Amino acid sequence: TELADWRTTVAERESVDVNDVCSLDLLCWVSYKLPQHRSELRRFEYILPALLEDKGLPYFDEMKNIISSMNMARAPTDTQFYSLRTKVKEDVDTIFGRKQTTMFIATSVLCIVALILTKRKQ
């Protein structure tokens, strides 16, 4: 809620819509990842909103201060992050319940059977 209040306050100060300060998606991502630098924000949204991009404006630093206070208040968790490649492979193994070799063999057998049946019809 601190970030949402900050966004509303900045929008009122600049007389712009809250989405011109930053999108709700970006705000949610910020509250989850707690980035400390603009480069970290660009991992989510490469083109930052002008109010956050401009180094002459205090808004990114204000947001960073809120993030820092949230980071201090956050309790340590047992969360473990995996690379996308590892996660996708694990998901595929879980969904199909097989290893890649087994899937390859099954697919090959089905292709051979389909070829045999096609040749018989001719």
Side-chain angles (χ1 to χ4, degrees):
T1 61
E2 288 180 61
L3 284 171
D5 293 340
W6 166 81
R7 182 173 83 145
T8 304
T9 303
V10 171
E12 289 170 357
R13 264 192 265 166
E14 292 291 325
S15 300
V16 295
D17 186 64
V18 290
N19 288 316
D20 292 336
V21 177
C22 69
S23 68
L24 186 58
D25 290 342
L26 179 63
L27 202 65
C28 290
W29 185 85
V30 164
S31 68
Y32 177 65
K33 292 291 188 175
L34 306 176
Q36 292 296 312
H37 306 283
R38 284 181 179 86
S39 61
E40 293 177 54
L41 276 177
R42 284 192 186 93
R43 291 180 186 164
F44 178 78
E45 195 168 302
Y46 186 74
I47 299 174
L48 297 178
L51 295 174
L52 294 178
E53 182 69 49
D54 189 346
K55 293 179 182 176
L57 296 174
Y59 302 125
F60 178 77
D61 293 329
E62 289 176 6
M63 184 176 73
K64 194 167 77 169
N65 290 337
I66 294 170
I67 291 168
S68 294
S69 68
M70 291 170 64
N71 202 9
M72 295 295 196
R74 183 180 275 185
T77 61
D78 292 333
T79 305
Q80 187 172 3
F81 296 96
Y82 298 95
S83 71
L84 183 59
R85 176 183 287 176
T86 303
K87 181 66 178 143
V88 169
K89 184 179 180 325
E90 288 173 359
D91 288 347
V92 168
D93 288 345
T94 301
I95 291 169
F96 294 109
R98 301 181 177 117
K99 297 290 182 198
Q100 290 177 349
T101 309
T102 307
M103 279 298 277
F104 176 73
I105 292 170
T107 304
S108 298
V109 169
L110 286 174
C111 288
I112 291 170
V113 169
L115 283 172
I116 292 171
L117 291 175
T118 304
K119 293 288 184 184
R120 276 194 182 172
K121 287 185 180 181
Q122 292 177 356

